[in-house]
Amino acid sequence: MFNIILFGPPGSGKGTQSEKLIETFGLKHLSTGDLLRSEISRETPLGMEAKSLMDKGQLVPDEVVVGMIHSALDANPEVKGFLFDGFPRTTAQSEALDKLLKLKNTAIGVVLALDVSEEELVKRLLNRGLTSGRSDDTNESVIRARIVEYKEKTTVVANHYAQFDKVVNIKGEGSVEEIFSNLCSEINNRMSII
Ligand code: ADP
C-alpha cells in the first residue's frame, strides 16, 4: 500500500488535487471534511454536534474524526492506498493515524504540503463560498478563524512527519495542472524508493 497525506491550510487546493490524484494513482480518498458534511446532511447526532463547531471555524474533537477514519479504513480493506485530505489536523490525530495504519501493516508514504499565502487563501475561500453552499466559506471571520486553528493546531502535524523525513513542500499557487504535475512527480519519486 502507498498512503499519502495531502496537507495544507483551508483553501490550499487539497480537494481539487485529491480528485485528480485518486484517479491517477487508484487511491481511496478520505476527506474528514466530506465525511463530516455527509453526517450533517443525514442529520445524524454526530453531524449535529460537528456542525456547530464547523460553523464557527473550530476543529471537531479528535475522537470524532479518528473514529470516522477508523471505520473508513476497516471498510476498505482491498485498496492500493489511501489519500488523506484534511486529516490529520492535530498531533493527537497523527499519532492515532500512525497506530491505525500500523495495525494494518502499513504507514504514511509521503506528506505533500501545499504552500499558499494567507491572502490568496482568503480570496479563494470567499470565492468558493459564492457557489459551494458551504456556510463556513461565506463569512470572512469564520475563514480567518479556520486559518488561526490551522496555524495553532495543524502546522505541528508537518513537524511530526518531518522527523521521519516524509514531508515535501509544494508550491500551491499557479495553475491546477502545474501543481498536479509537481505532486505526481513527488509521488512517483517516493513510490520508486519503497
Ligand atoms: P477546509 O480545509 O477548507 O477547512 P474541510 O472540508 O477540510 O475544509 O474542513 C471543514 C471543517 O470540518 C473544518 O473547519 C473543521 O471544523 C472540520 N474538520 C475537518 N477535518 C477535521 C479534522 N481532521 N479534525 C477536526 N476537525 C475537522
Side-chain angles (χ1 to χ4, degrees):
M1 263 173 108
F2 191 82
N3 305 299
I4 298 171
I5 295 174
L6 193 54
F7 189 75
S12 56
K14 301 186 296 292
T16 307
Q17 297 294 340
S18 290
E19 293 302 323
K20 297 169 74 68
L21 291 170
I22 52 164
E23 202 175 305
T24 303
F25 293 98
L27 303 170
K28 172 74 185 166
H29 185 198
L30 291 184
S31 155
T32 40
D34 288 351
L35 292 170
L36 289 166
R37 281 184 289 277
S38 153
E39 297 280 341
I40 293 173
S41 65
R42 287 181 283 124
E43 297 184 357
T44 65
L46 188 159
M48 294 305 95
E49 185 198 336
K51 186 176 173 8
S52 59
L53 292 163
M54 290 165 77
D55 283 346
K56 286 186 272 185
Q58 294 171 3
L59 295 184
V60 306
D62 289 333
E63 314 79 73
V64 173
V65 284
V66 169
M68 290 193 319
I69 291 289
H70 192 165
S71 309
L73 295 182
D74 285 350
N76 292 280
E78 300 293 334
V79 294
K80 283 205 221 164
F82 293 98
L83 175 65
F84 297 97
D85 161 6
F87 179 90
R89 256 173 155 100
T90 62
T91 302
Q93 290 179 23
S94 54
E95 286 167 353
L97 176 63
D98 291 351
K99 278 192 195 144
L100 289 173
L101 292 177
K102 201 163 186 190
L103 288 173
K104 307 215 173 280
N105 291 316
T106 184
I108 292 299
V110 67
V111 178
L112 300 165
L114 292 169
D115 206 9
V116 177
S117 75
E118 187 162 336
E119 280 329 291
E120 174 71 14
L121 296 175
V122 175
K123 206 171 81 188
R124 286 186 190 179
L125 290 168
L126 283 170
N127 199 36
R128 181 168 84 186
L130 300 175
T131 52
S132 68
R134 277 181 56 171
S135 51
D136 59 346
D137 284 345
T138 46
N139 180 325
E140 185 163 340
S141 64
V142 173
I143 289 174
R144 299 253 177 218
R146 283 154 65 198
I147 295 173
V148 169
E149 285 279 79
Y150 177 81
K151 286 186 186 161
E152 285 181 356
K153 298 179 181 159
T154 308
T155 48
V156 290
V157 169
N159 305 341
H160 172 79
Y161 289 102
Q163 3 160 20
F164 310 109
D165 200 21
K166 292 204 169 150
V167 183
V168 180
N169 291 299
I170 308 265
K171 190 167 158 243
E173 294 184 45
S175 75
V176 169
E177 284 309 323
E178 198 183 328
I179 298 162
F180 177 61
S181 142
N182 290 335
L183 290 167
C184 289
S185 310
E186 291 298 343
I187 295 171
N188 286 321
N189 278 344
R190 291 277 168 155
M191 276 181 163
S192 64
I193 57 171
I194 57 159

